[in-house]
Every structure is written in structure tokens, then in C-alpha cells.
Amino acid sequence: QNNAEGVRPDGQSPPPTGIDGGPALVSDDLIFSDIEDAELKIFSSAFETFDPVQGMVGFDHMLLRAYICEHTCISEDNLDIILFQQEEGDGAQPALSLPAFLGIMRSFAIHDRDMAQNWATICDGSDSVASPDARTGLVMMASDESVEVTEQQMDQMLNSVMATAGPVVGREEWFTYAVHVARCLRALRLR
């Protein structure tokens, strides 16, 4: 039983819950230490809800289409282009496998335009920024997302994402971190 602050009588935080209010598919630790495995669990579960036939889901499946558009930066207008780039069906019925679905979900976690705007805010016209400024830029970007994270979760995520950062972070390196943060935030929201 939780009290009003969401802390159990033993002082521990309650276990995370999934998007449906049930138990979470993945923990914070898994998300922050192995985003690939966390996404595999989350997106495999979602893929099963699309009722795959022989491991494939047709492009015309409305839930598949809605899920991709809702949880990626792909618009409905561009969805068919992306889907046909991944097409694995028999030609008569274009379809998507789980690995192709995972590839789409991982590749389109955040729009390049959004990363470029955030980079422009922190770089002041430079090709690189000090590592603490890069971290601040990631915090600013994360605050724009529609997922609530605690200060502890943010620190744990950024410590993991920026574990290899040196004293200075370049644009491409920061973009890599930004994609990783976007993927972690989405996993926290969908778990």
C-alpha cells in the first residue's frame, strides 16, 4: 500500500507501472543500461497486439500505423514511404516483421529538426560545447518531452548516456546522445 507521496512504508518507491497501469515491462535500470533490450521487450509486446501472421503485420493494419505515428517522429503523410523502405511482404500484401518494426521505432525516436534546434540553443554558433553545457542541453530537450522523470531518473539516464563524453562534446556526438535520451524517455513512457 502506498501513501500519498508514493513511497511505501518501508521507504522504498513503488515499482514502476506500465502505460496501462499494470506492472512495467522494463525497469529504469534496464532502460538506462541497455536501451536496445528495453526496446525489444516494449516493442515486441506492442507488435504482438497487431496480431502478426507468420511474424508479419500488413501495412494497412490501422493499429500498427497509429502506434508508429504516435510513438515516433514519422507523420502520417510520410509513413508509407518509411514502411515501403522496410517492406518484407510477398509483394501482394506489403508487410512488416518485428525486426523491421524495431528498426523504424529506433531510427525515428526524434526528428533531426528538433535536435538541430536544441543544439543551436546551446552551442552559440560553435562546433562544440563543454560537457556540462551538452548535459544541460539534453535536460532542456528532455523537459520538452511528454514524460515525467524524477531528478534521480534524469541523473541516472544522463550519466549512462554521457558515460563516454569527454570535456568537450561536438555536434554529432551530442546528436547521438540526444537520440539515446529520446529513446530512453519514450521507453519510460511506454513501459
Short mmCIF file of all heavy atoms in Angstrom, two decimals, residues 62-93:
data_model
loop_
_atom_site.label_atom_id
_atom_site.label_comp_id
_atom_site.label_asym_id
_atom_site.label_seq_id
_atom_site.Cartn_x
_atom_site.Cartn_y
_atom_site.Cartn_z
N MET A 62 -4.36 -0.77 -39.05
CA MET A 62 -4.56 0.57 -38.50
C MET A 62 -3.88 0.78 -37.15
O MET A 62 -3.35 1.86 -36.88
CB MET A 62 -6.05 0.91 -38.40
CG MET A 62 -6.76 0.97 -39.76
SD MET A 62 -5.91 2.02 -40.98
CE MET A 62 -6.09 3.63 -40.26
N LEU A 63 -3.86 -0.24 -36.31
CA LEU A 63 -3.19 -0.09 -35.01
C LEU A 63 -1.67 0.05 -35.18
O LEU A 63 -1.04 0.83 -34.47
CB LEU A 63 -3.52 -1.26 -34.09
CG LEU A 63 -4.94 -1.32 -33.56
CD1 LEU A 63 -5.14 -2.57 -32.70
CD2 LEU A 63 -5.29 -0.07 -32.77
N LEU A 64 -1.11 -0.71 -36.10
CA LEU A 64 0.33 -0.58 -36.40
C LEU A 64 0.64 0.84 -36.85
O LEU A 64 1.58 1.48 -36.35
CB LEU A 64 0.74 -1.58 -37.49
CG LEU A 64 2.15 -1.39 -38.07
CD1 LEU A 64 3.21 -1.88 -37.09
CD2 LEU A 64 2.27 -2.10 -39.40
N ARG A 65 -0.12 1.32 -37.79
CA ARG A 65 0.09 2.66 -38.34
C ARG A 65 -0.04 3.73 -37.24
O ARG A 65 0.79 4.63 -37.13
CB ARG A 65 -0.87 2.93 -39.48
CG ARG A 65 -0.71 1.98 -40.67
CD ARG A 65 -1.75 2.22 -41.73
NE ARG A 65 -1.51 3.49 -42.42
CZ ARG A 65 -0.65 3.65 -43.42
NH1 ARG A 65 0.07 2.63 -43.85
NH2 ARG A 65 -0.52 4.83 -43.99
N ALA A 66 -1.08 3.61 -36.43
CA ALA A 66 -1.31 4.58 -35.37
C ALA A 66 -0.18 4.53 -34.33
O ALA A 66 0.30 5.58 -33.88
CB ALA A 66 -2.65 4.33 -34.70
N TYR A 67 0.26 3.35 -33.99
CA TYR A 67 1.33 3.19 -33.00
C TYR A 67 2.62 3.85 -33.49
O TYR A 67 3.26 4.60 -32.75
CB TYR A 67 1.57 1.71 -32.70
CG TYR A 67 2.49 1.46 -31.53
CD1 TYR A 67 1.97 1.34 -30.25
CD2 TYR A 67 3.86 1.36 -31.71
CE1 TYR A 67 2.80 1.11 -29.16
CE2 TYR A 67 4.70 1.14 -30.62
CZ TYR A 67 4.17 1.01 -29.35
OH TYR A 67 5.01 0.80 -28.28
N ILE A 68 2.98 3.58 -34.73
CA ILE A 68 4.21 4.16 -35.28
C ILE A 68 4.11 5.68 -35.30
O ILE A 68 5.04 6.38 -34.87
CB ILE A 68 4.51 3.60 -36.68
CG1 ILE A 68 4.90 2.12 -36.58
CG2 ILE A 68 5.62 4.41 -37.36
CD1 ILE A 68 5.04 1.42 -37.92
N CYS A 69 3.02 6.21 -35.78
CA CYS A 69 2.87 7.67 -35.85
C CYS A 69 2.83 8.31 -34.47
O CYS A 69 3.35 9.41 -34.28
CB CYS A 69 1.62 8.05 -36.65
SG CYS A 69 1.80 7.73 -38.41
N GLU A 70 2.23 7.63 -33.50
CA GLU A 70 2.13 8.20 -32.16
C GLU A 70 3.45 8.17 -31.41
O GLU A 70 3.75 9.07 -30.62
CB GLU A 70 1.07 7.46 -31.35
CG GLU A 70 0.87 8.06 -29.97
CD GLU A 70 -0.27 7.42 -29.20
OE1 GLU A 70 -1.10 6.71 -29.79
OE2 GLU A 70 -0.31 7.63 -27.98
N HIS A 71 4.27 7.15 -31.67
CA HIS A 71 5.47 6.95 -30.85
C HIS A 71 6.79 7.16 -31.60
O HIS A 71 7.84 6.73 -31.12
CB HIS A 71 5.42 5.57 -30.21
CG HIS A 71 4.23 5.40 -29.33
ND1 HIS A 71 4.00 6.16 -28.19
CD2 HIS A 71 3.15 4.58 -29.44
CE1 HIS A 71 2.87 5.79 -27.64
NE2 HIS A 71 2.32 4.84 -28.38
N THR A 72 6.72 7.77 -32.76
CA THR A 72 7.92 8.17 -33.50
C THR A 72 7.70 9.59 -34.00
O THR A 72 6.65 10.18 -33.78
CB THR A 72 8.20 7.25 -34.71
OG1 THR A 72 7.17 7.45 -35.69
CG2 THR A 72 8.30 5.79 -34.32
N CYS A 73 8.69 10.10 -34.71
CA CYS A 73 8.54 11.42 -35.32
C CYS A 73 8.03 11.33 -36.75
O CYS A 73 8.04 12.31 -37.49
CB CYS A 73 9.88 12.17 -35.27
SG CYS A 73 11.20 11.37 -36.20
N ILE A 74 7.53 10.17 -37.15
CA ILE A 74 7.02 9.96 -38.50
C ILE A 74 5.58 10.46 -38.58
O ILE A 74 4.72 10.06 -37.78
CB ILE A 74 7.07 8.47 -38.90
CG1 ILE A 74 8.51 7.95 -38.83
CG2 ILE A 74 6.49 8.27 -40.30
CD1 ILE A 74 8.63 6.45 -38.99
N SER A 75 5.31 11.31 -39.56
CA SER A 75 3.95 11.79 -39.76
C SER A 75 3.17 10.79 -40.61
O SER A 75 3.75 9.98 -41.33
CB SER A 75 3.96 13.15 -40.46
OG SER A 75 4.42 13.00 -41.79
N GLU A 76 1.87 10.87 -40.53
CA GLU A 76 1.01 10.00 -41.36
C GLU A 76 1.33 10.20 -42.84
O GLU A 76 1.31 9.25 -43.61
CB GLU A 76 -0.47 10.29 -41.06
CG GLU A 76 -1.44 9.43 -41.83
CD GLU A 76 -1.43 7.95 -41.44
OE1 GLU A 76 -1.29 7.64 -40.26
OE2 GLU A 76 -1.56 7.11 -42.35
N ASP A 77 1.65 11.43 -43.23
CA ASP A 77 1.97 11.72 -44.63
C ASP A 77 3.22 10.98 -45.12
O ASP A 77 3.32 10.65 -46.30
CB ASP A 77 2.20 13.23 -44.83
CG ASP A 77 0.92 14.03 -44.64
OD1 ASP A 77 -0.18 13.45 -44.72
OD2 ASP A 77 1.03 15.24 -44.40
N ASN A 78 4.17 10.73 -44.22
CA ASN A 78 5.43 10.08 -44.60
C ASN A 78 5.49 8.61 -44.25
O ASN A 78 6.47 7.93 -44.57
CB ASN A 78 6.61 10.81 -43.94
CG ASN A 78 6.77 12.21 -44.48
OD1 ASN A 78 6.58 12.45 -45.66
ND2 ASN A 78 7.11 13.13 -43.61
N LEU A 79 4.47 8.11 -43.57
CA LEU A 79 4.52 6.74 -43.07
C LEU A 79 4.69 5.71 -44.17
O LEU A 79 5.53 4.81 -44.06
CB LEU A 79 3.27 6.44 -42.24
CG LEU A 79 3.20 5.05 -41.62
CD1 LEU A 79 4.41 4.79 -40.71
CD2 LEU A 79 1.90 4.88 -40.86
N ASP A 80 3.91 5.80 -45.25
CA ASP A 80 4.01 4.79 -46.30
C ASP A 80 5.41 4.76 -46.93
O ASP A 80 5.92 3.69 -47.25
CB ASP A 80 2.95 5.02 -47.38
CG ASP A 80 1.57 4.59 -46.90
OD1 ASP A 80 1.48 3.59 -46.14
OD2 ASP A 80 0.58 5.25 -47.26
N ILE A 81 6.03 5.90 -47.08
CA ILE A 81 7.39 5.95 -47.64
C ILE A 81 8.33 5.15 -46.75
O ILE A 81 9.11 4.31 -47.24
CB ILE A 81 7.88 7.41 -47.77
CG1 ILE A 81 7.02 8.16 -48.77
CG2 ILE A 81 9.35 7.47 -48.13
CD1 ILE A 81 7.19 9.67 -48.73
N ILE A 82 8.25 5.37 -45.45
CA ILE A 82 9.12 4.66 -44.50
C ILE A 82 8.79 3.17 -44.50
O ILE A 82 9.70 2.33 -44.53
CB ILE A 82 8.96 5.24 -43.07
CG1 ILE A 82 9.29 6.73 -43.04
CG2 ILE A 82 9.78 4.46 -42.06
CD1 ILE A 82 10.68 7.09 -43.45
N LEU A 83 7.51 2.84 -44.48
CA LEU A 83 7.12 1.43 -44.46
C LEU A 83 7.62 0.70 -45.71
O LEU A 83 8.16 -0.41 -45.61
CB LEU A 83 5.60 1.29 -44.34
CG LEU A 83 5.00 1.67 -42.99
CD1 LEU A 83 3.48 1.62 -43.05
CD2 LEU A 83 5.53 0.79 -41.87
N PHE A 84 7.47 1.30 -46.87
CA PHE A 84 7.90 0.62 -48.09
C PHE A 84 9.41 0.48 -48.19
O PHE A 84 9.91 -0.41 -48.88
CB PHE A 84 7.31 1.30 -49.34
CG PHE A 84 5.90 0.84 -49.62
CD1 PHE A 84 4.82 1.64 -49.29
CD2 PHE A 84 5.65 -0.41 -50.16
CE1 PHE A 84 3.52 1.22 -49.52
CE2 PHE A 84 4.36 -0.86 -50.39
CZ PHE A 84 3.28 -0.04 -50.07
N GLN A 85 10.15 1.31 -47.48
CA GLN A 85 11.61 1.15 -47.42
C GLN A 85 11.98 -0.09 -46.61
O GLN A 85 13.05 -0.64 -46.79
CB GLN A 85 12.28 2.38 -46.81
CG GLN A 85 12.21 3.59 -47.71
CD GLN A 85 12.71 4.86 -47.01
OE1 GLN A 85 12.91 4.91 -45.80
NE2 GLN A 85 12.91 5.89 -47.81
N GLN A 86 11.08 -0.53 -45.73
CA GLN A 86 11.31 -1.69 -44.88
C GLN A 86 10.55 -2.93 -45.34
O GLN A 86 10.64 -3.98 -44.71
CB GLN A 86 10.87 -1.38 -43.44
CG GLN A 86 11.55 -0.20 -42.82
CD GLN A 86 13.01 -0.45 -42.58
OE1 GLN A 86 13.41 -1.54 -42.20
NE2 GLN A 86 13.83 0.55 -42.83
N GLU A 87 9.80 -2.82 -46.41
CA GLU A 87 8.86 -3.84 -46.85
C GLU A 87 9.49 -5.22 -46.98
O GLU A 87 10.55 -5.38 -47.53
CB GLU A 87 8.27 -3.42 -48.20
CG GLU A 87 7.02 -4.16 -48.54
CD GLU A 87 7.25 -5.18 -49.62
OE1 GLU A 87 7.89 -4.87 -50.61
OE2 GLU A 87 6.76 -6.30 -49.44
N GLU A 88 8.79 -6.20 -46.39
CA GLU A 88 9.25 -7.59 -46.42
C GLU A 88 8.14 -8.55 -46.83
O GLU A 88 8.32 -9.76 -46.74
CB GLU A 88 9.75 -8.00 -45.04
CG GLU A 88 10.91 -7.19 -44.56
CD GLU A 88 11.32 -7.56 -43.15
OE1 GLU A 88 10.44 -7.86 -42.32
OE2 GLU A 88 12.52 -7.55 -42.90
N GLY A 89 7.02 -8.04 -47.25
CA GLY A 89 5.89 -8.90 -47.60
C GLY A 89 6.14 -9.66 -48.89
O GLY A 89 7.20 -9.61 -49.50
N ASP A 90 5.11 -10.34 -49.34
CA ASP A 90 5.21 -11.16 -50.54
C ASP A 90 4.93 -10.37 -51.82
O ASP A 90 4.80 -10.94 -52.89
CB ASP A 90 4.25 -12.35 -50.44
CG ASP A 90 2.80 -11.93 -50.28
OD1 ASP A 90 2.48 -10.74 -50.49
OD2 ASP A 90 1.98 -12.80 -49.97
N GLY A 91 4.82 -9.07 -51.71
CA GLY A 91 4.54 -8.23 -52.88
C GLY A 91 3.06 -7.95 -53.01
O GLY A 91 2.66 -6.83 -53.26
N ALA A 92 2.23 -8.99 -52.84
CA ALA A 92 0.78 -8.81 -52.92
C ALA A 92 0.27 -8.11 -51.66
O ALA A 92 -0.66 -7.32 -51.72
CB ALA A 92 0.09 -10.15 -53.09
N GLN A 93 0.89 -8.41 -50.53
CA GLN A 93 0.49 -7.83 -49.25
C GLN A 93 1.75 -7.29 -48.56
O GLN A 93 2.45 -8.03 -47.88
CB GLN A 93 -0.18 -8.89 -48.37
CG GLN A 93 -0.51 -8.43 -46.98
CD GLN A 93 -1.54 -7.34 -46.93
OE1 GLN A 93 -2.44 -7.27 -47.75
NE2 GLN A 93 -1.41 -6.44 -45.97
#
